Amino acid sequence: QVQLVESGGGLVQPGESLRLSCAASGSGLRANTMGWYRRAPGKERELVAEISSGGRTNYADSVKGRFTISRDNAKNTVYLQMNSLKPDDTAVYYCNAKRPTAWGPVNYWGQGTQVTVSS
């Protein structure tokens, strides 16, 4: 089992920055691909960014150049640095862990943290 707890959301103005954190607990955390997803009102949940156990990253086109995902394995924490925020970034952001198993990846989710970008 993996437990994920997000923090760092809030209300900011366009152009400002936020850093989200996701603290993970459980066994075998370093083997997991960690990611951030978001769900905006009336939209499907979408991948924002992910980072593999080896540090390889992948970003949605809409956030490339503005967001940076990183992980600190010693602290079992993954971060999402969000710069130049736009109103379209308003959503609930969810931390995700993908645990590799012999039967395919198993997904774990945090409870979500609200990010609101508004003037």
Side-chain angles (χ1 to χ4, degrees):
Q1 282 284 1
V2 176
Q3 293 79 42
L4 304 171
V5 179
E6 302 101 332
S7 61
L11 171 64
V12 296
Q13 295 188 348
E16 293 186 339
S17 298
L18 274 177
R19 188 175 82 156
L20 304 182
S21 300
C22 173
S25 59
S27 61
L29 295 174
R30 296 191 180 194
N32 297 337
T33 291
M34 302 296 297
W36 288 94
Y37 289 70
R38 66 186 181 188
R39 177 179 284 142
K43 295 187 178 181
E44 297 287 322
R45 184 168 58 191
E46 63 175 356
L47 173 68
V48 176
E50 61 184 357
I51 184 167
S52 72
S53 58
R56 185 170 58 200
T57 58
N58 179 43
Y59 294 92
D61 287 344
S62 59
V63 306
K64 283 181 181 176
R66 299 188 298 123
F67 291 10
T68 302
I69 189 170
S70 61
R71 63 192 295 167
D72 185 335
N73 288 331
K75 296 182 178 179
N76 291 332
T77 301
V78 62
Y79 304 97
L80 185 67
Q81 178 66 44
M82 304 185 294
N83 298 329
S84 302
L85 282 161
K86 305 175 181 179
D88 284 349
D89 295 317
T90 296
V92 178
Y93 283 70
Y94 297 91
C95 182
N96 169 264
K98 287 186 177 63
R99 164 160 292 181
T101 73
W103 302 274
V106 175
N107 282 293
Y108 298 91
W109 296 95
Q111 80 287 352
T113 185
Q114 177 70 47
V115 172
T116 303
V117 185
S118 175
S119 56

